[in-house]
Amino acid sequence: MNKLDNFKAGFIKENPVFALYLGLCSVLAISTTLNNAVGMGVAVIIVLTVSNVIISAIRKVTPSEIRIPVYIVVIATLVKIVEMLIQAYATDLYGTLGIFIPLIVVNCIILGRAEAFASKNNMLDSLIDGIGMGLGYTFGLIILSATRQILATGILNFSNPFTSEMMFEVRLIPADYVISLFSTPAGAFLTFAMIAGALEAYKSKASKKVKEVK
Amino acid sequence: MFKKALHFTVFLALLSGLAGGALAYVNSITAPIINENAIAAEKVNLVKLFPGTSEFAPLEITNDETGFIQSAYTAKDAGIAYKVQVMGYANPIVFMVGISNDGKIVGLEILDLRDTAGIGTRVEDPEFKDNVVGKTTTDPLAALSGATVTSGAVIRGINAAKAHFNDSKGIDDGGGSDDPVTPPLVFGDPVGIFSNATASAPAEILEETTDGDVTTYLVASKGYAVLEGGYEGAKPNVFKIVINTAEKKVVSMELVEFNDTTGLGDKIDHEDFWAQFEGLATDDDSIEIDVVSGATVTAISAARALRGAIGE
């Protein structure tokens, strides 16, 4: 696998959210607004990339019997640092993400990539894998959140998480035609299932095409 | 085997040490900013409590036994603001109370209140706030009659703040109770002990014991249940009346047996009501007491009992 494929894998084929179904707890809970999605996504990209690099760097000295506690210490430390930074510099985001920031510690994408990739590959590949997978997670989260936000409120907006200043706001559906169900947990499951299904259909169609060409 | 275990231990300890160091470093940078953010979020309310003050600093609360105080802020040269959460009638109530440096309650801001509209929400009315604001930290505070659960909870919270304030300033509050005092009585019209109102249904002396100059009477006097309720098996109220026959003065009066409507007639069992009787001259036929609003008939039964004890 070359470096580009490695990077691209996280987006569609191995998208952690819609193809691997990893880390769904926080995804379903916080995917109500675009702001949440971007904030959570960036937090996960940082934690995933840095933890991948550190775990890859210490993979040769880490005794394999205690590797899981070692990974957890590394990941928990990084998450706590990110949490403190968010609380200090992006208070509004901290308020809306709340408990789901510390829960990144037990997000299986991060431990999964540490175990499946970073512990077996060099630091550069682990860095690329971390960014790719993190972007894939963020990409999935943004699609889910934007869909839910538009269906539930009719508005798509994004505000600067550091200053709370509104950067853009568009109304896509008139207020009389919004479906508030989509902001509820049930709406999260419905939206998730539809997007995952559409992605699966696209993938099977694409693989059929490859076969026909052969 | 032992060597391996030691290797693991040292490795994990080293890693945890590094992690701890990194966390401490980031914390030292972010903690002041987080603190400032927390104050900024509360500042809207802090300024309401201490108008004219703009410098606030968080105050760490360590000696709050009640657990009601969530956070506290010192207002520079003005006082301390306490953010308190207590359990109300159905939901937690969050409020802020400001205490000035000279020990006066300067403000009360209810932040979150979801108790019954029209009843529990009365703690937001001036009637309640006026009762609290302006008092010193050693004054007892009274609950609102008719909204005792909500107002009592708020007062317990204020008392926790008062206790902390008194403690930190070394003010002796005499180990003040955490519970609110009974609400003050609302008195109605005066009624003469020897007026027509008490003549209608004479009281009955059940027991009379004399000890030197002091005579103690147990008097049964018909109250609301017998006179107006007309229930089957309705009984009169029984009062204990102590009279000093040498000085011709009423020493004390209390309710021994209550048979009228609970929640209405029993309002008379209040120190302010009994205080009216103490010292009344038994040889003066113009003596009078004020009845209690909402418990008029029961209050008159008390007057009637005294008339019965003094005799014509």
Side-chain angles (χ1 to χ4, degrees), chain B residues 116-164:
Chain B
T116 322
I119 300 176
T121 51
R122 283 173 53 208
V123 297
E124 286 184 305
D125 294 349
E127 181 196 354
F128 181 71
K129 283 191 182 173
D130 292 348
N131 180 22
V132 169
V133 175
K135 291 272 170 66
T136 71
T137 53
T138 49
D139 287 339
L141 297 174
L144 266 184
S145 178
T148 40
V149 178
T150 305
S151 60
V154 171
I155 285 176
R156 264 184 283 276
I158 298 174
N159 284 347
K162 276 164 55 183
H164 180 271

Side-chain angles (χ1 to χ4, degrees), chain B residues 77-121:
Chain B
D77 299 327
I80 303 179
Y82 293 91
K83 189 178 186 184
V84 182
Q85 181 178 344
V86 288
M87 190 61 205
Y89 182 73
N91 294 294
I93 305 167
V94 182
F95 64 90
M96 266 194 165
V97 59
I99 302 178
S100 66
N101 281 337
D102 54 358
K104 275 221 173 71
I105 298 174
V106 291
L108 176 69
E109 286 294 326
I110 309 276
L111 306 180
D112 187 12
L113 176 69
R114 280 167 286 164
D115 277 356
T116 322
I119 300 176
T121 51

Side-chain angles (χ1 to χ4, degrees), chain A residues 2 48 73 173 189 212:
Chain A
N2 69 37
L48 185 55
V73 169
I173 302 176
F189 279 102
E212 274 166 10

Side-chain angles (χ1 to χ4, degrees), chain A residues 182-205:
Chain A
F182 284 97
S183 64
T184 66
F189 279 102
L190 281 173
T191 321
F192 178 80
M194 286 190 285
I195 295 174
L199 187 76
E200 207 53 43
Y202 164 79
K203 277 202 301 192
S204 67
K205 202 174 165 193

Side-chain angles (χ1 to χ4, degrees), chain B residues 155-208:
Chain B
I155 285 176
R156 264 184 283 276
I158 298 174
N159 284 347
K162 276 164 55 183
H164 180 271
F165 182 87
N166 289 341
D167 219 35
S168 61
K169 302 276 175 189
I171 298 171
D172 181 20
D173 57 0
S177 152
D178 290 343
D179 291 324
V181 296
T182 24
L185 277 186
V186 181
F187 288 109
D189 296 327
V191 57
I193 301 297
F194 296 99
S195 67
N196 289 337
T198 58
S200 54
E204 185 191 342
I205 297 177
L206 301 175
E207 212 182 290
E208 189 179 332

Side-chain angles (χ1 to χ4, degrees), chain A residues 19-98:
Chain A
L20 304 180
Y21 299 166
L22 285 179
L24 288 187
C25 166
S26 52
V27 166
L28 292 175
I30 60 114
S31 58
T32 47
T33 64
L34 189 58
N35 259 68
N36 282 358
V38 174
M40 188 71 175
V42 170
V44 168
I45 291 173
I46 295 170
V47 173
L48 185 55
T49 309
V50 181
S51 79
N52 259 7
V53 170
I54 293 177
I55 286 164
S56 168
I58 61 171
R59 70 184 190 278
K60 292 202 172 109
V61 292
T62 307
S64 71
E65 290 92 334
I66 57 160
R67 65 184 193 283
I68 301 293
V70 168
Y71 298 164
I72 293 290
V73 169
V74 171
I75 295 166
T77 309
L78 291 169
V79 168
K80 187 67 201 170
I81 289 174
V82 168
E83 186 192 349
M84 289 192 285
L85 291 172
I86 293 179
Q87 196 182 357
Y89 297 106
T91 322
D92 286 354
L93 191 64
Y94 183 79
T96 53
L97 293 183

